[in-house]
Amino acid sequence: KVRCWNYGYSYRYKKIRTKLSEYDYYNVADVNGDGTSELLLSTSSTGRGFKSRVLVLTFRKGKVKPLMAFEELRNGLFLRDGKLYAQVGGSTESIITGYKINKGKAKQFVKLERLRRWPDGSRYAVTTYWKNGKQISEAQYNAECQKTVAYQTPLGFVPIR
């Protein structure tokens, strides 16, 4: 069992069961810079898109341990400054979640949201910006994006042979 972000494109966490045989691609990266490489398994070469899943595994105390899984990432997984970021969303929303890995556990430390809604059936959209559940300005949101996934290349994966 592993905790999965965006299970079924829900923008929520859910504990899931997954099998290694479901994954056809991989990447190896020291996500947090601790000298231990994590193994990232993916169902697609990009780790993103419809029905895609990425499983992150680490090696701790002599055992392989699942850290986390991600589903249907529309924009991918990113590494920056020893942190792992996932970005989901489309034309009406963008959600970036950031994770720190420490002692074999992945902990979310940031959640940035851009949400576009049409209140009361209006034909005019209203866009709001959020950081960790607190509303922020567009300028603050853009500054936070610069610290996370802006101008970063998403992780890619190679076939398992």
Side-chain angles (χ1 to χ4, degrees), residues 122-133:
S122 169
R123 61 183 187 160
Y124 301 104
V126 174
T127 304
T128 56
Y129 305 89
W130 303 82
K131 178 181 179 184
N132 297 332

Side-chain angles (χ1 to χ4, degrees), residues 12-27:
R12 290 186 170 83
Y13 293 99
K14 182 177 180 175
K15 287 264 187 181
I16 63 166
R17 289 190 183 277
T18 187
K19 297 177 184 174
L20 296 179
S21 61
E22 297 173 11
Y23 302 91
D24 298 317
Y25 300 87
Y26 77 99
N27 191 331

Side-chain angles (χ1 to χ4, degrees), residues 46-153:
T46 62
R48 41 190 178 169
F50 183 65
K51 293 192 175 183
S52 65
R53 182 182 292 157
V54 175
L55 175 64
V56 182
L57 302 158
T58 193
F59 191 73
R60 175 114 172 113
K61 295 184 179 179
K63 294 183 179 179
V64 175
K65 180 179 180 181
L67 281 174
M68 191 157 186
F70 300 90
E71 271 198 4
E72 297 203 23
L73 298 176
R74 299 302 164 107
N75 300 327
L77 280 175
F78 304 82
L79 293 178
R80 186 169 190 176
D81 300 328
K83 299 171 188 84
L84 182 66
Y85 296 93
Q87 187 175 19
V88 299
S91 60
T92 59
E93 66 270 325
S94 175
I95 301 173
I96 299 166
T97 50
Y99 303 87
K100 292 180 182 177
I101 297 172
N102 190 17
K103 297 181 181 176
K105 296 186 186 249
K107 182 178 180 186
Q108 181 182 310
F109 73 94
V110 70
K111 182 177 185 183
L112 300 172
E113 300 173 275
R114 175 190 51 80
L115 306 174
R116 197 164 87 191
R117 301 292 183 253
W118 289 261
D120 301 320
S122 169
R123 61 183 187 160
Y124 301 104
V126 174
T127 304
T128 56
Y129 305 89
W130 303 82
K131 178 181 179 184
N132 297 332
K134 180 181 173 193
Q135 192 165 359
I136 59 175
S137 71
E138 181 180 9
Q140 289 170 309
Y141 174 82
N142 289 334
E144 291 295 328
C145 287
Q146 294 293 327
K147 297 177 196 173
T148 61
V149 301
Y151 307 110
Q152 301 296 304
T153 302

